[in-house]
Amino acid sequence: MDLMLTSLTEALRYGLDPFMLLIIAAGVIWGSAAGALPGVTSVIAIGVMVPFTFGLAPIYAVAFLVAINVGASFGNSIPAILVGLPGTPSAVLTALDGYALHRQGKTGLALGVTFYSSVMGQLLSVFLFLLMVVPLSGLTYVFLSPEMFALYFLGVTAIISITSENILKGLVAAAFGLLIATVGRDPTTAVSRFDFGYAELRSGVATVPVVVGLLAVSELFRSMRQNYNWSALSTKFEAKFPSLKTLWSVTPAVGVGTLIGGVIGAVPGVSGSPAAVISYQQSKLWSKHPEEYGKGSIEGIASNEAAQNAAQAGEMVPTLGLGIPAGGAMVILLGALLIHGFVPGPLMIRESPQLLHAAVAGLLLATVVLAFIGWPIALGLTKLVQVDRRLVLVGALLLTMIGTYTLDRSTFDVVLLLIFGVVGYFMLRYGYSVAGASLAAVLGPGLENNLRSGLLLMDKDIVAFVSRPWTAGILLLSFALLAYGTYGTIKLARASGRAKRAALDAHKAGLARPG
């Protein structure tokens, strides 16, 4: 309780720092603007800015990246309402009801409910975040190298077993990321490995080009191949803010959505999409007007938006508390912290509490900023969604390249950024998990270091290493996730096979009919 109250107090104290407020406001504005462009996800919005944060103190960098995530989660819903194109998968249901209201001429109602639900979902989720993350600090007294290895292993398996539709492809992606992590000097013997004669690789592959290339640049390349006919999708409208009575009527849906989003978002690999879907379904079950869902329900919008915004705070629980990123945006945040010299997890909460305070400040102050400027931003973004995306995407790519270059003034890093962007694009195209690969590349060094130091601690006794209670429990959970992912893949493959056979039989029956 003391750590929780201290975190809130310190977060509010950061609000007295003019530069902190400035950088958080900039993060909210940039995240909202980037998120309002269809195809530009929070991963891209954060990834573009990561290289520019390394000139900042760690507390400012963390708060800035968290604020971008808050803004992007709100901005993603703007195109969902105005043109029916969700910025992220979690905004699909907002597109369903929001775009229906937009076509009915109730654009202001849809935007206003979205704004209210986003702000309330983010605000309430801050307290959920603290309730879940603070108890993890107690693990510092029992976690040594074997337990840390198990956590790193869990982080990799959680992502590849849940986010990948094909578990084999997920494992291949993770193996690729771990292979990248082995480039450079051996952590024990200092022998150079896999540098292929390039001096730039003797210290290992830089994390920023790998993570930003695989996660953000690959998405930019994929978005560049998508075309939208704005004239066919857009229509004239006016945005009038809804009444307080209307907003109060959706408050129960906001509360339930926040609770569901915060808890489910904290599960590594699950993220905001399942949380939004579950919240929407529950809201429909309890609603007095379930027939309106899918046709313009403000309760549906409220539950979905509260859940997906609360999930942003939930995703930070395993990221900061255990060092296990819960999604693509959190992988980038984790990579940024590692480059700053911090290892997220129970030790960081105890030994570097200022970063926890900065994360809380980023969530809390960004929400306060959004509450004041979110509605004007929403009105302004109604024009931005009709900007030619090709210009924006090319500008984002150039900005990413410039930021990567300025980090170490290395042309080699820019080349790596583009190479991994191309690799990530083809991974996305053929169903390989870029999140799994980038996460493995980020966690690989820690995985190897803790494995080898843990074995030395146990006198190279592998049985003693894996039989420690916490280590054994976490490793069993990791293999359970792999088994669950394998079962899900087999079940999906069988269902797909049955559907294809049924379609083929129907086609043959149609050909066999006379006439």
Side-chain angles (χ1 to χ4, degrees), residues 216-478:
V217 176
S218 62
E219 286 284 357
L220 286 172
F221 287 158
R222 185 166 68 168
S223 295
M224 288 176 184
R225 290 180 55 85
Q226 298 173 345
N227 294 312
Y228 298 107
N229 184 359
W230 298 117
S231 60
L233 293 168
S234 302
T235 184
K236 292 183 179 180
F237 63 89
E238 64 176 75
K240 182 181 179 182
F241 195 77
S243 66
L244 293 178
K245 183 179 179 181
T246 300
L247 296 180
W248 178 253
S249 69
V250 300
T251 299
V254 170
V256 174
T258 300
L259 181 61
I260 292 175
V263 173
I264 294 180
V267 179
V270 176
S271 74
S273 299
V277 172
I278 292 172
S279 176
Y280 187 88
Q281 290 172 336
Q282 292 299 313
S283 176
K284 185 177 180 179
L285 286 174
W286 298 337
S287 175
K288 296 179 180 178
H289 305 286
E291 72 282 355
E292 295 180 358
Y293 281 67
K295 301 176 184 177
S297 169
I298 57 174
E299 288 180 328
I301 294 175
S303 61
N304 183 70
E305 285 299 311
Q308 67 162 320
N309 278 273
Q312 309 301 319
E315 288 180 353
M316 291 177 61
V317 173
T319 304
L320 296 180
L322 297 174
I324 303 172
M330 293 299 103
V331 173
I332 295 180
L333 177 61
L334 177 69
L337 286 172
L338 290 171
I339 293 173
H340 275 291
F342 297 94
V343 180
L347 290 174
M348 190 199 77
I349 297 176
R350 280 288 180 185
E351 297 177 1
S352 305
Q354 68 272 20
L355 293 183
L356 174 63
H357 304 159
V360 176
L363 287 170
L364 186 59
L365 297 179
T367 305
V368 173
V369 169
L370 187 63
F372 282 100
I373 67 174
W375 182 246
I377 286 178
L379 296 180
L381 293 180
T382 57
K383 298 180 176 60
L384 183 61
V385 294
Q386 300 183 44
V387 173
D388 190 332
R389 265 188 340 130
R390 292 171 295 183
L391 299 176
V392 178
L393 293 173
V394 171
L397 179 60
L398 289 175
L399 191 62
T400 305
M401 293 169 63
I402 292 170
T404 302
Y405 174 78
T406 56
L407 182 59
D408 288 319
R409 298 189 179 276
S410 171
T411 305
F412 187 77
D413 283 354
V414 177
V415 174
L416 284 179
L417 176 81
L418 296 176
I419 289 174
F420 282 108
V422 173
V423 170
Y425 168 77
F426 283 103
M427 289 179 70
L428 289 170
R429 184 172 180 178
Y430 294 106
Y432 291 88
S433 173
V434 290
S438 55
L439 178 63
V442 169
L443 298 182
L447 188 75
E448 182 182 10
N449 288 341
N450 283 288
L451 173 63
R452 297 176 71 169
S453 61
L455 286 173
L456 289 174
L457 183 67
M458 297 290 111
D459 292 326
K460 299 184 180 179
D461 186 345
I462 189 67
V463 175
F465 181 92
V466 300
S467 61
R468 291 169 60 88
W470 278 100
T471 304
I474 297 171
L475 289 176
L476 285 174
L477 177 60
S478 302

Side-chain angles (χ1 to χ4, degrees), residues 31 35 42 68-77 118 122 305 308-310 312:
S42 59
I68 293 176
N69 206 29
V70 171
S73 184
F74 168 64
N76 281 329
S77 301
S118 298
Q122 290 281 5
E305 285 299 311
Q308 67 162 320
N309 278 273
Q312 309 301 319

Side-chain angles (χ1 to χ4, degrees), residues 14 20 24 58-60 62-63 66 353-363:
Y14 282 143
M20 178 64 84
I24 287 176
I59 58 171
Y60 295 121
V62 170
V66 170
Q354 68 272 20
L355 293 183
L356 174 63
H357 304 159
V360 176
L363 287 170

